[in-house]
Amino acid sequence: ATLEAAIYQTPQVVCYAGNPISYQIGKQLVKVPYISLVNLIMEKEVVCELIQQQFNEQLLSQELHLIANHQAYLTNMKNDYQQLIEKLGGMGASKRAAEIIVEFTKTT
């Protein structure tokens, strides 16, 4: 959902809070710097991630305030979204990929 929201240029905050034991086990097994696809693909924090203890009313309120009231913050997020779209192959990438697959299956 985070990737789709970014493609539609929707500002967002990624929030995740789960069972503390499951989270710690998962954290040991999966070594990635981010939880959202947007940030993973861009290899930087494009959207704020509030995870476990960070997912609280105060931090969420602060982040939503930034999105709603600071145009430069929102503009940076949307510029990063545009770079994300380009990194994914731009508009129509899925259609082009499908056409390549169809052509490939005709030749095999």
Side-chain angles (χ1 to χ4, degrees):
T2 61
L3 187 57
E4 290 176 287
I7 291 169
Y8 285 107
Q9 301 285 309
T10 305
Q12 60 187 299
V13 181
V14 174
C15 302
Y16 176 83
N19 178 288
I21 294 171
S22 298
Y23 176 76
Q24 288 303 320
I25 292 169
K27 192 174 175 182
Q28 295 303 312
L29 295 174
V30 181
K31 302 285 186 185
V32 292
Y34 303 105
I35 199 166
S36 81
L37 277 177
V38 174
N39 293 345
L40 286 168
I41 292 168
M42 292 299 290
E43 299 177 338
K44 67 177 188 175
E45 186 174 279
V46 173
V47 296
C48 176
E49 297 182 350
L50 300 177
I51 302 169
Q52 292 300 96
Q53 270 59 14
Q54 294 175 335
F55 180 27
N56 61 56
E57 186 177 336
Q58 181 183 0
L59 291 177
L60 180 58
S61 178
Q62 287 174 3
E63 187 62 25
L64 292 174
H65 178 78
L66 281 172
I67 289 171
N69 297 302
H70 294 276
Q71 190 59 44
Y73 186 80
L74 187 58
T75 299
N76 284 338
M77 184 183 292
K78 289 189 174 189
N79 287 340
D80 285 338
Y81 283 174
Q82 194 56 45
Q83 290 176 17
L84 171 70
I85 291 167
E86 291 169 14
K87 199 169 192 177
L88 293 173
M91 299 307 287
S94 297
K95 182 179 181 197
R96 290 191 305 276
E99 290 169 350
I100 290 168
I101 292 168
V102 167
E103 286 304 312
F104 177 77
T105 58
K106 287 180 182 177
T107 62
T108 57

